[in-house]
Amino acid sequence: NMTETRIHRADKQQNGDAMAETSTVDDVFDDTYREKEGKKPPKILVWRNIILMGFLHVGALYGLALIPSASWLTLGWTAVCYMISALGVTAGAHRLWSHRSYKASVPLRVFLALGNSMAFQNDIYEWARDHRVHHKYSETDADPHNAKRGFFFSHIGWLLVRKHPDVIEKGQKLELGDLKADRVVMFQRRHYKLSVVLLCFLVPMLVPWYFWGESLGVAYFVPGLLRYTVVLNASWLVNSAAHMWGNRPYDKTINPRENPFVAISAIGEGFHNYHHTFPFDYATSEFGCKVNITTAFINLMCFLGLARDRKRVSRDMIAARIQRTGDGSHKSG
Ligand code: ST9
Ligand code: ZN
Ligand code: ZN
């Protein structure tokens, strides 16, 4: 354990030197935290969430059965809604707002916030707060979706019970000034419920009904509920599957893994061993745009002048890390 501690310390130093600016983002693993000893607090079920998530998944299955009755335009629209809501999470809440791995102009931030409301995964502020504690206290009581509590808990279970008190205690100590200072983030937080009703449910349903006469039933269940549920599960797989199955070429002392299947459905967010090792890298992967639509999207935004200052880990730093802490699965080894 002493060596592990030293590894993390050394890396913090290294990251800090290479990326002075990122030191303000409170997303670096804290190896000094210790779980409280003794009995764990009891699990308190939140029945409202259990029932709503149950209905949502039944509705999504019904949407699946309705796919053959949907027009091609409606299916195309479903894919568009999937992309916009996924980008609102990956390029927005995750890479921009949780990790500050690049900078985005106001129009791009507005687009990402709209996509984020379409994804209905809690507002950006709450998402980023939970995500920063997830990185900082990964796989401990203070991690909201602690993967040590099993697949079900890290996938969906954590949204169905009250949080462990350490999540809240540690979360309250996080530096979140950058989020509070972002007017787009705070505007979305103030109008979150209305924005979700409009963007996650009404817009996906009304567009196919109004523009090409799709039935309201198909329009509600396919681009609405089914699309929402698939984006949710694709995101949750990063917390469950990508914390359990895959190689650890960059750091074998941590649980997050490289999982190409998750990377596909989560449009580039499955390279999770890399991401937890270098959380400030805007590509969340060593391999840039490969199986990574989100990275391609951010590159396009830079090309259009809507984003800038992408942070990237140097080749040397990656190679050194693979040598020092990798599990030997990297093809360079
Ligand atoms: C959803 C989120 O699905 C999904 C996140 C996925 C993350 C993936 C990450 C992987 C990497 C990125 C990959 C992206 C891939 C995307 C691919 C796309 C194709 N710090 O929460 P409350 C305080 S959401 C500090 O009620 P309870 C705070 O004061 C789905 N403080 O705790 C708070 O008040 P406020 C839809 C914290 O009572 C107060 O405590 N949404 C923190 O224990 C109470 O907080 C739902 O299903 C913290 N971290 O309830 C709703 N946390 O907020 C789910 C809390 O006002 N949520 N505080 O400041 C809930 O109903 C509740 O949170 C609960 C816990 C029942 C789970
Ligand atoms: Zn993780
Ligand atoms: Zn992250």
Side-chain angles (χ1 to χ4, degrees):
N1 214 321
M2 273 305 280
T3 34
E4 259 175 57
T5 307
R6 238 174 285 130
I7 287 167
H8 288 300
R9 286 264 160 67
D11 204 60
K12 244 185 252 180
Q13 202 84 50
Q14 219 176 338
N15 288 353
D17 293 346
M19 303 272 160
E21 229 185 316
T22 54
S23 57
T24 54
V25 183
D26 223 353
D27 59 359
V28 180
F29 184 71
D30 179 354
D31 52 61
T32 62
Y33 166 78
R34 296 285 169 273
E35 291 180 345
K36 296 197 176 75
E37 302 209 356
K39 237 179 102 197
K40 302 274 181 197
K43 259 196 220 89
I44 304 168
L45 301 182
V46 177
W47 283 102
R48 188 192 64 130
N49 290 10
I50 296 171
I51 290 164
L52 287 174
M53 278 299 174
F55 277 121
L56 177 66
H57 282 75
V58 172
L61 285 179
Y62 185 62
L64 210 53
L66 284 181
I67 284 182
S69 14
S71 73
W72 284 107
L73 277 172
T74 302
L75 295 177
W77 170 245
T78 304
V80 168
C81 292
Y82 188 94
M83 270 308 153
I84 297 174
S85 37
L87 286 170
V89 178
T90 59
H94 191 220
R95 300 188 198 184
L96 177 64
W97 282 300
S98 297
H99 296 299
R100 297 280 168 193
S101 64
Y102 68 101
K103 291 203 179 84
S105 61
V106 173
L108 177 56
R109 277 187 278 144
V110 169
F111 169 78
L112 293 171
L114 293 170
N116 189 267
S117 286
M118 192 180 237
F120 184 15
Q121 295 197 358
N122 299 331
D123 64 50
I124 296 162
Y125 180 87
E126 183 172 343
W127 201 105
R129 185 177 62 185
D130 274 346
H131 193 66
R132 286 181 189 175
V133 263
H134 166 63
H135 275 267
K136 190 164 178 180
Y137 304 103
S138 203
E139 329 249 51
T140 69
D141 283 340
D143 175 352
H145 31 84
N146 177 6
K148 291 231 164 81
R149 293 174 70 173
F151 184 93
F152 186 80
F153 180 82
S154 56
H155 193 75
I156 181 176
W158 66 285
L159 294 165
L160 309 177
V161 296
R162 297 265 168 239
K163 284 173 170 160
H164 190 289
D166 284 18
V167 173
I168 295 172
E169 189 190 311
K170 290 293 171 191
Q172 279 166 346
K173 296 196 177 101
L174 287 178
E175 178 54 65
L176 302 170
D178 59 311
L179 298 169
K180 289 180 188 142
D182 191 321
R183 295 175 64 185
V184 176
V185 172
M186 287 299 135
F187 183 87
Q188 192 230 25
R189 185 159 165 86
R190 268 198 309 282
H191 303 288
Y192 190 60
K193 281 196 181 124
L194 177 65
S195 74
V196 164
V197 171
L198 286 175
L199 288 153
C200 184
F201 301 106
L202 288 178
V203 168
M205 170 174 85
L206 294 178
V207 165
W209 170 78
Y210 183 83
F211 287 102
W212 53 89
E214 184 59 88
S215 77
L216 275 179
V218 169
Y220 178 68
F221 283 102
V222 181
L225 291 199
L226 177 60
R227 181 270 320 165
Y228 172 44
T229 310
V230 175
V231 172
L232 276 182
N233 279 277
S235 312
W236 297 339
L237 281 172
V238 179
N239 297 335
S240 53
H243 270 257
M244 282 169 197
W245 302 307
N247 290 332
R248 289 180 285 185
Y250 309 99
D251 193 340
K252 62 181 178 218
T253 69
I254 60 176
N255 248 328
R257 289 144 201 269
E258 303 290 284
N259 190 309
F261 298 104
V262 174
I264 294 170
S265 58
I267 63 167
E269 299 282 21
F271 307 102
H272 216 48
N273 189 253
Y274 184 89
H275 176 58
H276 272 262
T277 310
F278 304 112
F280 51 87
D281 188 316
Y282 89 99
T284 71
S285 149
E286 182 185 348
F287 306 107
C289 294
K290 206 170 154 197
V291 204
N292 206 328
I293 294 172
T294 305
T295 301
F297 172 80
I298 297 171
N299 290 350
L300 175 67
M301 291 302 115
C302 286
F303 178 74
L304 296 175
L306 292 166
R308 61 192 167 88
D309 293 349
R310 285 161 291 183
K311 294 184 186 114
R312 198 80 169 104
V313 185
S314 72
R315 300 230 129 263
D316 291 350
M317 202 162 137
I318 299 174
R321 190 60 189 258
I322 291 168
Q323 280 298 314
R324 190 155 56 82
T325 55
D327 67 358
S329 67
H330 195 277
K331 50 182 185 303
S332 71

